[in-house]
Each structure stands twice: as structure tokens, then as C-alpha cells.
Amino acid sequence: MNEPLAITGVGAISSLGLSAREHAKDHENWIFADVDTVEATSSGSIGHSVREVPAGFRIRDYVTSVGLRRKQRFSQLAMAAAVDAFAGAHFAELPADAERIGIVANTEYGPQRVVSDYLDGLLGGGLMNASPALFTQTVYNVANGQASLALGLKGANSTLVGGSAVAYGAQLIETGKADAIFAMSLDETNEIMTDHFDAAAADLDRELPFSTGEAAAVVVLESPRSAGRRGGEPIAHLLGLSLASATSAGVSYVDWPENDDTIAHTMRAALGDAGLGVGDVDIVVGTANGLGAITRNEIAAIRGIGHRGPIALPRLLAGECFGGNEALAHVLALSAAEPGQTLLVTVSTVNGGVTSALVRKA
């Protein structure tokens, strides 16, 4: 990276709570002393569980506009996480130029619930039963569009499918296209994936406990100049990034390629980009979700780079949240770290993308 970017706020909505503050509570069974402890952990139950956002979630607790309140769950989760991050970065009392603040959202499956509802009407009764109100909510970029409207952000706005919102957001800032970016990750639970894992539960190749979940989370990236100009206090700094892609990955992590070295390659490249060695890393924050090949690959990668310290595996805590994983991993990692600690955060996507980031907590 050209220079470290500031992380000035985070937001999160997941099964763990309805704000980033709730995600900072003490949680067990996701932070391990070292790689040997991870490898020795038994998977226990062979069932499949689903971890959803708490039933008490109400969009009107975050956004009061009647028009926005009618939006579907996918958009609502995004808006709530963005509002949480907006407050965490203190943009209300320490404002920046709204024309220079943007949102990059990453999802893997998009608004599947509303797509299903819309198609039920269309296929069941033709165009007369196809809801125009639902149709406007079926596009993948609806979430970041509604989040931008809710916050009055007028800057760069992009949607990724199976990408890295953090990496793309950092690029937008480094190339001068934005002063700050809400790097958002989200996916809702949907019957396609939950039914898939329910049916396969007894035969899943797993190394650790496995569940699926849903989440919307945001990391606010900001240029040091922008943060300094408005008086924003960084909670962390982004020191380096690397992206790569594993071949032969599919659509559910079950078919992650065995003996693949993409995770190890990406970790090493991120360390190189940050100009750090593995000895500078206090905590490795992993991408393992408990399923066999990807978990074994990551254990091998951590051994391969020579890290012998603590390992945090956020997906064991929140569940496999698909598009929601990246920003949520940063939220949870920062909540677990001590000031001054350096984190190597790695996130994979079902299509084989792997992103590693070096982050130092302020």
C-alpha cells in the first residue's frame, strides 16, 4: 500500500448482536492459543445449525424514514450496519464531505429471499401477480444504494459479488476517488444454502464445528488526511493487502480444492505488502469455517508461514456468513485485540477468492 489507511469505525449486525458494541463482548470457542490447539479441537456434533440475526431486529430502530422502512431484509441489514458504522466513525459530529464518502458492498448470494418471493408470484400467476415493489428489491446493488440514501452519502458506490470490499475500498481511496469508504459485507440466510447443508450434514467433511449464519458488517476506511481534517480518531490502521484466487472452488466451500496453497500465498504476499515479517504478527485471524479442505489448508498455511501464536477463527463464532464474512472478521478481530497488536486477517469466498490484510489496532 502507498500509506496505511485509517479505520475510523465499524458496524455489525449478526447473530452475535445488533451493533459493533455487542460484538465486542467476550465470546468463547473461536480464539486458540496456537495452531496445535486448533488442530486438536474436535468437531463434536455432526449436525448443521443456522445462526440468524436476533428476532428483536427492527429497521425502525436504525432508520426512521417510512419509505426506507418498507425495504426488504437484505437492504435492512445493510442499512442497519451502515448506520452503526456511521455512528462509530462519528460522522454526525465530525462530518466529512458527503460527495467524497462512498460504499462498496460485497455479497455472494444477494437478496435471495425477495428474489424467491418475486419469482413465486411471477411463475405462479404470471405478470399480473408479479409484484413491482418486490422487483425493485431483487437487484444485488439495492443494499448499498439504500444504505447510501439512509446516510446521505454521495460518493463512489459499487457492488461486488464474491470479492473484497476492503481491498476495493482501499484502492478507491488510494487512487483519489474517495476520502472514505464504507466497506460492507453482507448476506442473509436463505433456504437454498440452509437446505443444502441440512441435507449434507451427516456426510460433511469437517475438521471443526460448522454452522451457517447471516450478517451485515462495515469497516470504515478513511485516508489519514480526511480523518485528520475532521478530527476522526482511527481505531486501527490498514497496513497491507493481498488478493489471490484458488482454482476449482465451487459454490458452497464443500468443494474447496484439497492441498491448495492460495491461503498461504496470500498471507505471505500481504506481509510483503506491509513490509512485515510473521514475527510482527500478534494474532492470525483465519478464514476456516470448520469444513474439511479449507480448514486443513489454512492450518497448513499458518504452519507454513511460521506463526506460532494465537489464532482467531470468527466463522466458528458467527457461523459461515458467506458475503458477510469479510467486514465481520475485522469487527470481531479488532474487538479481541489489544491496542498496538497487529492482526493478519484472511478471508475466503466461495468462488475461491482469498484476501489477506495486515491491520494494527490503534
Side-chain angles (χ1 to χ4, degrees), residues 13 21 26 74 77 90 111 116-117 122 128 130 155 164 216 278 336 357:
I13 305 293
R21 184 181 297 111
D26 290 335
F74 188 69
L77 293 174
H90 303 288
S116 177
D117 291 343
L122 177 65
M128 295 301 293
S164 170
V278 70

Side-chain angles (χ1 to χ4, degrees), residues 36-176:
D36 292 334
T37 309
V38 174
E39 198 165 37
T41 301
S42 170
S43 65
S45 170
I46 63 170
H48 164 241
S49 60
V50 179
R51 303 180 184 181
E52 296 185 86
V53 165
F57 170 70
R58 301 181 304 172
I59 190 60
R60 61 179 176 271
D61 292 336
Y62 303 84
V63 184
T64 58
S65 165
V66 173
L68 292 177
R69 196 164 61 236
R70 294 194 187 101
K71 303 310 178 188
Q72 300 298 312
R73 184 179 183 85
F74 188 69
S75 295
Q76 291 180 358
L77 293 174
M79 287 188 287
V83 167
D84 189 35
F86 190 89
H90 303 288
F91 278 116
E93 60 268 38
L94 301 170
D97 181 2
E99 301 282 348
R100 301 279 300 166
I101 306 175
I103 291 182
V104 175
N106 175 62
T107 181
E108 293 184 8
Y109 295 106
Q112 292 299 309
R113 296 186 191 196
V114 69
V115 169
S116 177
D117 291 343
Y118 175 77
L119 291 177
D120 283 346
L122 177 65
L123 299 177
L127 290 176
M128 295 301 293
N129 283 349
S131 169
L134 288 181
F135 178 74
T136 62
Q137 301 296 301
T138 60
V139 291
Y140 276 43
N141 64 352
V142 66
N144 46 317
Q146 295 303 328
S148 296
L149 289 172
L151 297 175
L153 307 183
K154 302 177 182 179
N157 195 300
S158 299
T159 302
L160 309 177
V161 179
S164 170
V166 169
Y168 188 51
Q171 184 180 55
L172 290 174
I173 295 172
E174 287 191 320
T175 55

Side-chain angles (χ1 to χ4, degrees), residues 205-207 253-260 263 289-300:
D205 170 20
R206 74 180 78 204
E207 292 291 325
Y253 290 105
V254 171
D255 50 4
W256 191 271
E258 199 71 64
N259 301 317
D260 180 76
I263 295 174
N289 59 15
L291 293 180
I294 189 170
T295 301
R296 290 189 290 271
N297 277 323
E298 179 154 68
I299 289 172

